[in-house]
Amino acid sequence: MSIISADNTIQILTVIFLVVIFGVYAEKTSIGKKISAPLIILLMSLIVGNIGILPMKSDIYDGIQSLLVPIAIPLLLFRVDLKKVVQQSGSLLFVFLLAALITVIGALLASSLLDLGEMEAQIVSVLTASNIGGSANFVATSQAVGFTDSSIYLSTLTADAIGAVIFLILLMALPVMSLVTRFVPSKYIVSKEQRKTLDTEIKDAVSSVTLPSVILPIASSLVICTLAGIVAEIIPISGMFIIAVTLLSLVVANFAKKLVARMSFEFELGTLFMYIFFATIGVSADLNEMFGPALFIVGFLLILMVFHLAVLLVIGHWLKIDLAELMIASCACILGPTAAAAIAAGQGWKDLISPGMLVGVLGYAIATFIGVGINYLLT
């Protein structure tokens, strides 16, 4: 039981926004700058959910994750220059494919180290598909391989959600560790002086904000999401909604530049929505589940994720790949395109938002096939 009930939407939103604003202001401190707002928000929401202040399950969380995140995607993409994306996504595509391959190897390694029971092949296959694509691939792969045992299915799904939170914490800790940043440098991780310059630019931009200029990007985003929903109904394949949202946003960004020029604060609004998304992810993660039936499955995911990050960093050092690109490609692989966009936005890596979305969408297309193939291999 939680102090605030699951149906008390106003109080839940109040606490979520307090967590978000705490993260935003905490990031301005000397310690907070090293940790970053997304990680602070994630950790605070994890605590708030697990000590019983907020419920771990509520319809408002589902609403935020299914509605607010798609609205945020166009807001984060309206300023994208497609020519730059074409120039920059090539290397990110290579890193993403590398991350997917490492994930497969990590899954096979973890399955050889841990005994997941009679349904090991199905569990490994659905988790691999989920950690290259997303939840849609989890469901599609489970149906394809006959993963129907409800109790084990629920434990696996719960472990996957916990694993996502753990991975986010591990991923966001990378730029904080000086050992990692020296081993794999990044041109995107800005200095304190550069951050001050960015803050000044944002303050200058705020002075030109008007009500119509703020309403316009939100309205445009809603129109794009509506059209994307229609496309997804016409072409009912995995991930089509996100694909359509991304493509339509890029069309507006590159072919309706006069419309975009009238917008203000769209990137900051999109970042805010993604911060709220992080808070709902943290609140929903039940740490007690790690000590229940999902314990060994969480252990499997820990091995997979640590192997994934460690090998990716070593190869990144060897091939001189930018740490920020490694992080976004890794996030797009394990957590999907929306999370990759959220990380890029939260860190201020604007040039990596669209490439991260694009390579993450590729994961939706290939993950189910990979999951089914692993099931066939293990059986």
Side-chain angles (χ1 to χ4, degrees), residues 89-99 315 319 321 329 359:
S89 62
S91 60
L92 204 67
L93 176 60
F94 167 75
V95 182
F96 173 82
L97 294 174
L98 183 64
I315 295 177
L319 297 179
I321 300 171
V359 298

Side-chain angles (χ1 to χ4, degrees), residues 173-332:
L174 293 182
V176 178
M177 296 184 286
S178 58
L179 180 64
V180 173
T181 55
R182 288 198 302 268
F183 188 65
V184 187
S186 173
K187 65 181 180 182
Y188 292 95
I189 300 176
V190 300
S191 64
K192 291 182 179 180
E193 291 73 19
Q194 290 172 308
R195 178 64 66 182
K196 288 179 180 178
T197 302
L198 290 173
D199 291 341
T200 301
E201 291 175 355
I202 291 173
K203 289 178 181 178
D204 292 341
V206 172
S207 61
S208 63
V209 172
T210 63
L211 184 58
S213 68
V214 175
I215 294 174
L216 183 59
I218 297 175
S220 300
S221 179
L222 287 169
V223 170
I224 287 173
C225 291
T226 300
L227 294 175
I230 295 172
V231 172
E233 290 179 0
I234 298 172
I235 311 175
I237 64 174
S238 178
M240 178 49 66
F241 177 66
I242 294 298
I243 293 172
V245 169
T246 303
L247 291 177
L248 289 172
S249 300
L250 292 173
V251 168
V252 172
N254 288 271
F255 297 99
K257 292 186 177 182
K258 290 184 178 180
L259 176 67
V260 174
R262 297 176 182 175
M263 299 179 182
S264 296
F265 241 2
E266 71 285 347
F267 186 84
E268 287 73 21
L269 285 170
T271 302
L272 170 62
F273 292 167
M274 287 301 187
Y275 282 177
I276 296 170
F277 165 70
F278 278 134
T280 62
I281 292 293
V283 169
S284 302
D286 187 353
L287 294 181
N288 290 324
E289 293 290 343
M290 293 182 65
F291 303 99
L295 178 62
F296 281 101
I297 304 176
V298 171
F300 165 86
L301 287 171
L302 277 174
I303 294 172
L304 185 156
M305 290 170 179
V306 170
F307 178 84
H308 169 98
L309 288 174
V311 174
L312 204 55
L313 286 173
V314 170
I315 295 177
H317 171 75
W318 180 45
L319 297 179
K320 299 187 184 304
I321 300 171
D322 191 284
L323 177 61
E325 292 183 356
L326 282 177
M327 288 177 60
I328 298 305
S330 174
C331 185

